Structures are given as structure tokens and as C-alpha cells.
Amino acid sequence: MSRAQTLPKASCAHADTLENEFARAVITGLSKEKKTLPCRYFYDARGSELFEDITRLPEYYPTRTETQILRDHAADIVGEIGDGELLVEFGSGSSLKTEILLDRIASSIAYVPIDVSETALADAKCRLAKRYPELDVRPIEADFSRAIALPADLASRRKTGFFPGSTIGNLAPSDAQSLLSFFGRALGEGSRLIIGVDLKKDPRVLIEAYDDAAGVTAAFNLNLLHRINRELGGDFDERGFRHRALYDPAKGRVEMHLVSARNQRVVICGRSFRFRENETIHTENSYKYTLDQFREVARASGWNAKRVWTDANNRFSVHELIWPKTGRSVG
Ligand code: SAH
Ligand code: AVI
């Protein structure tokens, strides 16, 4: 019998299928020698709000920089999107960057935002409906790494994928490669993917971006403990953990951790977890690439790298990838 099946349902207040998945992920992650929690669970309603606050922080350069790149090159980026096409966005969040593209698309298209955050999808759909009354918006609340059923009436359309925000950086390069292959197969032959990728830079800039002075990123990280308390009946004491961000130059990634301030025990779903003082829960990786490193991941996943746009300071990149028409095999 798997761990998931042995979870005591009664102690998990709202144990429907998705939350059982959450419970399974939390119990598996906290049972490891080096404790981890998957970063996709940051994005409950409060987490999605906190992420939007992060995007407006002076230290968090990625959103500002990518937005400017998209604005500067919008005409080139949307250039080929024609009538009847489908724009599929992975991890769409607020869909604010999408508006930069939509403002440039003259044709009648359909837009499929995919996200795990129900509230982010609902807010975005409501705003887009007002701003673009003609746009056919079909949100999908799902994990983009799982099989995604596109609406049947839209599935045969020519597709452009949009994956901004450097969310790809939250996966290890080998997982990023698999995810990109999966997107290629899902979008189909001849499709394009416009993907935002954060670039390697001075580690001090990186650390500040993930450990801002106002403590918003700390609140975003700690919110995961509130979510566990609320949805899984956990008894985390937020004051018992501190936010930490570090840059590992060998791995080329920013890591976020929650550091236990003391020896303590926490009960979740009826299970007890022991934390030593200074022991950490590793909650997120944010990999940074050079242009060539990312092109190599894209190439290995089966995509052809076409154009790339960057800002003047080479902080961030937006790549255009093409999924080949020949049906070549990918590993
Ligand atoms: N694309 C937006 C939001 C980036 S934040 C931007 O560029 O600003 C990352 C978004 O991806 C969040 O909205 C989060 O809910 C979503 N997300 C993270 N992991 C996901 C997954 N596995 N499946 C679907 N959505 C995911
Ligand atoms: C969504 N993702 C790319 C963000 C990042 O920069 O890794 C999430 C984030 N974590 C801390 N701040 C922002």
C-alpha cells in the first residue's frame, strides 16, 4: 500500500483528490533526510497575491525586465500569430504579460491560460473579458506538467505556447528538458514557444531579488506553512521558521529555504515531523542560465532555437523556439 493510501483522512480537513495530492507531497517531502516542499504549492489565493506583490518590488528585476523586452519586441514576437490560432500559456498567473501580446494581435484567436491557481485564473479571465470582449478565453486549472486536455473544439488549431516569468527556472535542467519536450508534443508540429528565461548575473543582485528588504518574499515562502496548517490541519508556528535565500554558483541556482529557529515538532495530517534548530526545508530552486546553456536545454528537448531577445543589461531573455515539422524523435 502506498503512503498516500495510508493517510488518515479524518485529520486532513478537506481531503478531496487534489488536497490528498498536496498531503502526499508534503508528507513525502518532509520525510526526506533533506526536507523539501514542491514550489508549485506556493500558489494558493494568498500565495498568488504575494507573488503579484513580488513582481512590483524594486529588487525583483525579472518581471520588469521581461515586460520591457516583450513591449520592445511585441511586433516581432506576435508577428506570425494569425486568424483562428490558439495561444496556450503555461503558468499564466495574472496574465498581465499576455496583454502585451494580445494588444498586438489583430486576428481573432483563442487563449488557453493554464495554471494551478484557481483565483489567479478567475481574476485574469474576468479582467480579459472586459478588456478583450472578442477574445475566446478558456482557462484550465491544472498542473502543466501533466497530460493537458485542450478544449476539443480548439485542439486542431495552430498553436503558439507562451511560458513567461522564467517559471522554467523552477525546474532542474533535466526536468526542464522533459517539460519542454512535453510542451512540444502537446503543441504539435510547427508550433512556436515563446519562453522567458532569467540569466546568470552578479549573485548580489540575485540574492536581493529573493530576499527583499520589505520581507514580501519571506512572507511568500512562509505562506506555504499557513497553507499546510489550513488545508492539512498542520500546526506549524510561523515564528518557528525564517526565510533564507542563497545562490549556489556551482549549480547556477537561487535556493529558497525555511530555516527552523529551534528544535521543534510539527504535526501534519496526524503525522509528527521533527525539526532540529537550523535544519531547513528547501522550498524552491530558481535556475539561471546563459543564453547558450538554455539553447542547449531547448535543443536537447527537441525544439529548434530561432530568435532571442534580451534587455540592454543582459539580465533576462525571451526565446522563440520552433517544434520541428518532421516528427523527429526526442529522448
Ligand atoms: N506567468 C506569470 C506568473 C509567473 S508565477 C508571470 O510571468 O508573471 C508562476 C505561475 O505558475 C503561478 O501562477 C503558479 O500558480 C503557476 N504554476 C507553478 N507551477 C505550476 C504547475 N506545475 N502547473 C501549473 N501552473 C503552475
Ligand atoms: C515563478 N518563479 C519563476 C519565481 C522565481 O523567480 O523563481 C517565483 C519566485 N520565488 C521567489 N520570488 C519569486
Side-chain angles (χ1 to χ4, degrees):
M1 193 182 254
S2 75
R3 267 203 170 120
Q5 287 166 308
T6 62
L7 285 180
K9 259 193 165 185
S11 59
C12 300
H14 315 283
D16 70 8
T17 316
L18 250 186
E19 279 154 358
N20 268 333
E21 207 173 285
F22 180 35
R24 209 157 38 232
V26 168
I27 286 170
T28 303
L30 296 185
S31 302
K32 288 183 188 163
E33 172 74 21
K34 291 195 171 185
K35 294 181 171 64
T36 62
L37 288 171
C39 65
R40 70 175 177 282
Y41 292 110
F42 280 141
Y43 303 93
D44 62 355
R46 179 72 186 132
S48 293
E49 265 174 28
L50 285 165
F51 178 75
E52 288 311 305
D53 293 343
I54 288 174
T55 65
R56 291 186 282 270
L57 289 170
E59 296 96 332
Y60 194 73
Y61 63 86
T63 307
R64 259 195 327 278
T65 314
E66 184 181 34
T67 299
Q68 196 55 52
I69 296 171
L70 292 171
R71 283 199 183 118
D72 288 349
H73 302 282
D76 281 347
I77 292 169
V78 306
E80 295 171 24
I81 301 181
D83 241 9
E85 286 199 22
L86 189 58
L87 181 64
V88 181
E89 181 166 351
F90 303 102
S92 49
S94 63
S95 294
L96 278 171
K97 291 170 191 163
T98 327
E99 291 195 2
I100 302 169
L101 306 188
L102 293 173
D103 284 343
R104 284 278 180 164
I105 300 174
S107 336
S108 141
I109 64 154
Y111 170 55
V112 176
I114 302 172
D115 207 289
V116 284
S117 171
E118 182 188 355
T119 53
L121 282 173
D123 291 352
K125 182 172 163 95
C126 189
R127 198 189 69 249
L128 293 173
K130 284 188 197 130
R131 183 133 198 227
Y132 307 92
E134 306 295 309
L135 185 67
D136 183 4
V137 185
R138 308 277 194 95
I140 299 181
E141 186 189 335
D143 180 337
F144 53 51
S145 63
R146 308 272 170 87
I148 298 159
L150 292 172
D153 58 319
L154 304 178
S156 63
R157 294 193 184 192
R158 185 162 182 266
K159 299 171 196 75
T160 294
F162 186 41
F163 193 23
S166 203
T167 304
I168 193 69
N170 294 136
L171 281 77
S174 58
D175 295 333
Q177 185 183 315
S178 307
L179 185 69
L180 291 179
S181 272
F182 173 65
F183 286 176
R185 293 191 299 270
L187 294 172
E189 292 192 356
S191 58
R192 289 198 306 154
L193 181 66
I194 304 297
I195 177 167
V197 181
D198 198 11
L199 297 176
K200 288 204 158 104
K201 57 185 61 64
D202 183 342
R204 285 170 300 187
V205 175
L206 290 170
I207 298 291
E208 280 189 7
Y210 290 83
D211 195 6
D212 58 285
V216 180
T217 311
F220 176 68
N221 200 3
L222 286 160
N223 180 57
L224 197 44
L225 305 185
H226 291 298
R227 182 174 187 181
I228 293 171
N229 286 352
R230 195 181 57 252
E231 294 184 17
L232 305 179
D235 66 354
F236 273 111
D237 171 11
E238 191 202 306
R239 288 159 307 172
F241 288 84
R242 291 187 312 270
H243 167 69
R244 179 186 291 161
L246 58 91
Y247 182 67
D248 181 333
K251 296 194 168 99
R253 71 188 192 194
V254 175
E255 296 182 5
M256 294 210 313
H257 293 259
L258 290 165
V259 187
S260 177
R262 55 173 190 267
N263 292 325
Q264 56 186 314
R265 275 186 185 280
V266 175
V267 176
I268 302 159
C269 271
R271 297 185 184 219
S272 178
F273 297 92
R274 188 171 149 263
F275 294 86
R276 294 183 310 278
E277 184 177 358
N278 291 326
E279 183 177 2
T280 83
I281 311 172
H282 186 167
T283 51
E284 187 184 63
N285 289 318
S286 207
Y287 282 84
K288 309 301 168 187
Y289 288 89
T290 64
L291 293 179
D292 282 343
Q293 281 172 338
F294 182 73
R295 282 196 195 104
E296 180 49 30
V297 170
R299 192 205 57 74
S301 70
W303 288 91
N304 292 333
K306 203 172 168 195
R307 292 177 289 181
V308 63
W309 300 274
T310 59
D311 57 297
N313 298 314
N314 284 313
R315 286 190 154 191
F316 202 93
S317 58
V318 175
H319 297 249
E320 177 189 41
L321 310 178
I322 309 290
W323 191 249
K325 285 205 169 119
T326 50
R328 79 186 228 214
S329 65
V330 287

